[in-house]
Amino acid sequence: MGVTPDHLPPTGTAEAALLDLELSDLPTPNGGWQVPAALQQHGAVPDAPPLFVEHRSTPLPGSAGEHLLQRAYGTEKRARRFYDDQVLDHLNSQMKEFIGRMEMVFVATADARGDCDSSLRAGPRGFIEVLDDRHLCYPEYRGNGVLASLGNISENPHIGMLLVDFVNDLIGLHVNGKARIVEDADLRAIYPALPAEFDRPRTPERWVVVQVEEAYIHCRKHIPRMVPVLRNRNWGTDDAKRKGGDYFEAKGMPRPWHRTEPVGGSDH
């Protein structure tokens, strides 16, 4: 997504039985990590759990819930055509090229209870590294210290990624799979081709390595056209005002987890 001065305008009722969906068991913490071939060869990630265990009752992609609702709402044929034509269980050469030129990705995770979080990760072209047909990784830098996405991954490895080209092709790519947290030094020892120079400058503290289970298109029909423009930003600052930290004026508003007693006060 090159920077340009141009400003372009953004362009039935289901039977009860079909909707009586059975909830799946919660995933086990750190469950099911299939170590990439390079990691296996080098004996890295010694505490990695065994291979992922598949629980699918159907060879089709997607969840039991979406298949039931396809039957309920009469979209089975359309869905099957999409599965057959567009969904892969790996990254092909076109997907790899697309990922290699993206400068941001939306990341969705959930904890062991299913409570969700979505976040934005951004960087220069190529900040998301494709390791092989079934694995990619993206860096985690120093942030606000909350570690919401990484905390979720530590409980529940399932992850959903959405990469969108808002500038040129107006197309998106979904990548769903299972993730694992790997420290920067550990991953760099196995993949020395990982970038060593970073803008601003900053270096990753760790990486999220994703095993690809589904990769498929997000069509351009409703993707707006956007053009990035040059901006002055206060990189590397912890000053809340300079980085817009209280844009929504949340500071000082009541919330359930605020202390009612000063630190060191009475518990009675």
Side-chain angles (χ1 to χ4, degrees), residues 24-51:
S24 61
D25 292 335
L26 291 175
T28 57
N30 297 319
W33 170 251
Q34 181 176 324
V35 182
L39 292 174
Q40 291 176 339
Q41 292 171 3
H42 289 78
V45 197
D47 60 339
L51 302 181

Side-chain angles (χ1 to χ4, degrees), residues 194-216:
L194 288 176
E197 297 182 6
F198 300 89
D199 59 339
R200 295 196 290 280
R202 58 178 183 169
T203 57
E205 294 183 346
R206 52 197 57 87
W207 296 75
V208 174
V209 182
V210 178
Q211 176 180 307
V212 178
E213 294 183 337
E214 297 176 348
Y216 57 90

Side-chain angles (χ1 to χ4, degrees), residues 53-100:
V53 178
E54 296 291 340
H55 297 290
R56 297 180 187 272
S57 59
T58 170
L60 290 177
S63 67
E66 70 186 66
H67 299 147
L68 285 172
L69 290 180
Q70 289 160 15
R71 291 172 55 196
Y73 300 136
T75 67
E76 283 181 286
K77 290 184 179 180
R78 275 191 290 148
R80 182 57 186 260
R81 187 164 58 248
F82 183 81
Y83 293 149
D84 290 344
D85 293 348
Q86 299 294 343
V87 182
L88 298 178
D89 64 350
H90 63 280
L91 302 173
N92 65 14
S93 58
Q94 291 81 3
M95 293 173 176
K96 293 177 184 178
E97 184 276 331
F98 183 86
I99 293 170

Side-chain angles (χ1 to χ4, degrees), residues 155-206:
E155 296 184 26
N156 175 357
H158 297 280
I159 191 170
M161 305 173 66
L162 173 61
L163 304 94
V164 183
D165 179 352
F166 292 104
V167 178
N168 297 311
D169 297 331
L170 301 186
I171 209 74
L173 174 66
H174 292 266
V175 178
N176 299 329
K178 292 188 176 75
R180 184 174 179 84
I181 304 165
V182 181
E183 295 302 309
D184 179 69
D186 294 335
L187 191 62
R188 196 172 297 280
I190 289 86
Y191 293 100
L194 288 176
E197 297 182 6
F198 300 89
D199 59 339
R200 295 196 290 280
R202 58 178 183 169
T203 57
E205 294 183 346
R206 52 197 57 87

